[in-house]
Amino acid sequence: MATRVKDMGMDRVLGSKLHSKYDPHTEAEVAHWIKAVTGDDIGQGPDTVQRALRNGQILVRLAKAVQSGTPNAPPQAKSYKIKGNTMEVPFKQMENIEIFLKFCELYGVAKNSLFPTVDLYEARNMSAVLANILLLGSECQRHGFSGPTCGPKPTEKHHVNFTQEQLRAGQGIIGLQAGTNKLASQSGMSFGATRHIADIKADEMSREGQGIVGLQAGTNKCASQSGMSFGAVRHISDIRADEMSQEGQGIIGLQAGTNKMASQKGMAMGAVRHIADIRADDMSQEGQAMIGGQAGWNKGATQKGMAMGAVRHIADIKSDDMSQEGQGMIGLQAGTNKMASQKGMTFGQQRHIADIRADEYSQEGQGIINLQAGSNKGASQTGMSMGKSRKIVD
């Protein structure tokens, strides 16, 4: 006991729960029985009882007394040799406890009801020690011990053989788990006669009964809608647009709004437009030179009188007429070759472009900037030409 480490943490909590199960009444019953059988006094209180039983000598003497006083003991328990030790050394004391536990098992105590040796030797669970001794007293009652006993009365097997009549009679008994049919019952009660569906006929309902609302659905005996009508039969042929008056056609119902306040009366959204009325030849000569406001404006600063160059004949452009010095000159538009130069470079072979003919353009048209590119007129573009007619055969 002095060398055992003190319980801490969870062990201490579990130990407290086990010590709380210690019953003084069980202790008194066990102490009285041991004194009556062996003459030894184990005292009172868990510590006193533990010190008295710790060496196992009192338990060995109790086992010997039970073995000798039970003529009908089990053969294994009756032939078991019980020899205790009186040495005051720990392993001999624990051996005495093991001898007692072995005898209890042979005598009939269930193995899972036996306490471990350390529960008594180290006082870990004294309530289990007392419970084990009580079970030994119950087995003494079972086997006919000649001396005093303790503990609860042992259970005995009770075989009952029922006859077939008894088993058949039990089929009409409702177990108490499901209730009982032995007290006030509903025997003989009826919940209505048999209902035949053929007895329900709509033509047997009286005219007065058709206007009665059953209480399950409410009632129509208080404030009602008697005499109200929800409209006559409506024939689709009665709805005719030609019967609507001229004045009614100009009225907008309140569901859609109203036209009684500020209105657009008299406004027209345009007459019928015929596609044949849109003719390009009806546009005046002055109108052709006018840029609409949607596309911009040609009434401000102009390019009137500007010319983009004289007539240029494509036949005059020949690569073989270009001087040797000019071939090595890069125009200012492309940069300059007066610093680091590309002298001696050529830009391809001779190109003949006789198929491209611009001699059909008029002298006046060559100085005109089309509307797509802007305008070269002042207040107007009067006198501008959009080009000559182009023959498809050209």
Side-chain angles (χ1 to χ4, degrees):
M1 288 291 292
T3 59
R4 184 173 180 269
V5 180
K6 186 177 180 181
D7 291 335
M8 301 294 292
M10 185 60 69
D11 292 336
R12 184 176 180 180
V13 174
L14 296 176
S16 300
K17 290 184 178 181
L18 294 176
H19 294 323
S20 63
K21 296 179 180 180
Y22 191 85
D23 185 13
H25 299 285
T26 303
E27 174 196 296
E29 185 177 1
V30 170
H32 179 72
W33 183 55
I34 292 176
K35 188 175 182 179
V37 174
T38 63
D40 297 318
D41 188 7
I42 62 175
Q44 296 180 354
D47 295 336
T48 305
V49 173
Q50 189 269 339
R51 284 193 296 268
L53 300 178
R54 183 169 179 265
N55 56 15
Q57 296 180 12
I58 297 178
L59 296 178
V60 171
R61 287 194 291 269
L62 178 62
K64 288 181 178 181
V66 171
Q67 185 183 36
S68 60
T70 308
N72 298 326
Q76 300 89 345
K78 197 169 186 180
S79 61
Y80 181 66
K81 294 181 179 181
I82 302 175
K83 184 179 180 181
N85 299 291
T86 59
M87 298 176 61
E88 296 295 333
V89 291
F91 73 92
K92 288 295 182 181
Q93 293 177 351
M94 288 189 286
E95 185 179 345
N96 290 336
I97 299 174
E98 290 291 340
I99 293 173
F100 172 76
L101 294 175
K102 182 63 177 179
F103 172 77
C104 291
E105 182 180 358
L106 297 176
Y107 197 73
V109 178
K111 188 174 183 179
N112 57 1
S113 299
L114 302 176
F115 64 88
T117 304
V118 293
D119 282 355
L120 174 57
Y121 195 80
E122 297 181 0
R124 292 188 179 182
N125 191 2
M126 289 302 299
S127 60
V129 175
L130 298 181
N132 192 167
I133 298 174
L134 283 180
L135 291 176
L136 179 61
S138 298
E139 293 300 322
C140 291
Q141 300 178 41
R142 187 193 308 276
H143 299 302
F145 178 60
S146 58
T149 58
C150 69
K153 185 178 179 180
T155 57
E156 301 289 344
K157 292 183 180 179
H158 182 63
H159 296 279
V160 179
N161 296 321
F162 293 100
T163 62
Q164 290 296 328
E165 291 76 9
Q166 291 174 331
L167 295 175
R168 194 177 298 109
Q171 295 178 1
I173 301 297
I174 299 176
L176 291 177
Q177 290 84 349
T180 180
N181 60 350
K182 295 301 181 183
L183 304 176
S185 68
Q186 296 177 335
S187 178
M189 293 182 67
S190 175
F191 286 94
T194 304
R195 185 177 183 183
H196 300 284
I197 198 66
D199 296 338
I200 303 172
K201 295 182 179 180
D203 55 356
E204 293 183 355
M205 187 178 290
S206 64
R207 174 66 59 175
E208 294 77 9
Q210 294 179 1
I212 301 297
V213 178
L215 290 177
Q216 291 85 348
T219 180
N220 63 346
K221 294 302 182 183
C222 298
S224 68
Q225 297 176 336
S226 178
M228 291 182 67
S229 175
F230 288 95
V233 179
R234 186 177 183 184
H235 300 283
I236 197 66
S237 60
D238 295 338
I239 303 173
R240 301 177 64 186
D242 54 354
E243 292 183 355
M244 186 179 291
S245 65
Q246 189 70 23
E247 294 77 9
Q249 294 179 1
I251 301 297
I252 298 177
L254 290 178
Q255 291 84 347
T258 178
N259 63 347
K260 295 302 183 183
M261 309 299 181
S263 68
Q264 296 175 336
K265 185 177 181 181
M267 293 182 67
M269 302 304 292
V272 179
R273 186 177 183 183
H274 300 284
I275 196 65
D277 295 337
I278 305 173
R279 301 176 64 184
D281 55 353
D282 290 342
M283 186 178 293
S284 64
Q285 188 71 22
E286 294 77 9
Q288 292 180 1
M290 190 67 67
I291 298 177
Q294 293 84 348
W297 183 250
N298 64 346
K299 295 300 183 183
T302 70
Q303 296 174 340
K304 184 177 182 180
M306 292 182 67
M308 302 302 292
V311 179
R312 185 178 186 185
H313 298 284
I314 196 68
D316 297 338
I317 303 172
K318 294 183 178 181
S319 297
D320 54 354
D321 292 340
M322 187 177 292
S323 64
Q324 188 70 24
E325 291 78 8
Q327 293 179 1
M329 187 69 66
I330 299 176
L332 292 177
Q333 292 83 350
T336 179
N337 63 347
K338 293 303 181 181
M339 308 301 176
S341 70
Q342 298 174 335
K343 186 177 180 180
M345 294 182 66
T346 60
F347 289 94
Q349 298 179 3
Q350 182 178 353
R351 184 179 183 188
H352 298 282
I353 197 164
D355 295 336
I356 303 173
R357 300 177 62 188
D359 52 354
E360 292 185 357
Y361 277 92
S362 66
Q363 187 71 25
E364 294 80 8
Q366 292 181 1
I368 301 299
I369 299 176
N370 293 331
L371 291 177
Q372 291 84 346
S375 173
N376 64 346
K377 299 299 182 181
S380 68
Q381 294 175 340
T382 302
M384 291 183 66
S385 176
M386 304 303 291
K388 296 175 60 177
S389 301
R390 186 177 182 184
K391 306 296 183 181
I392 195 67
V393 296
D394 295 337

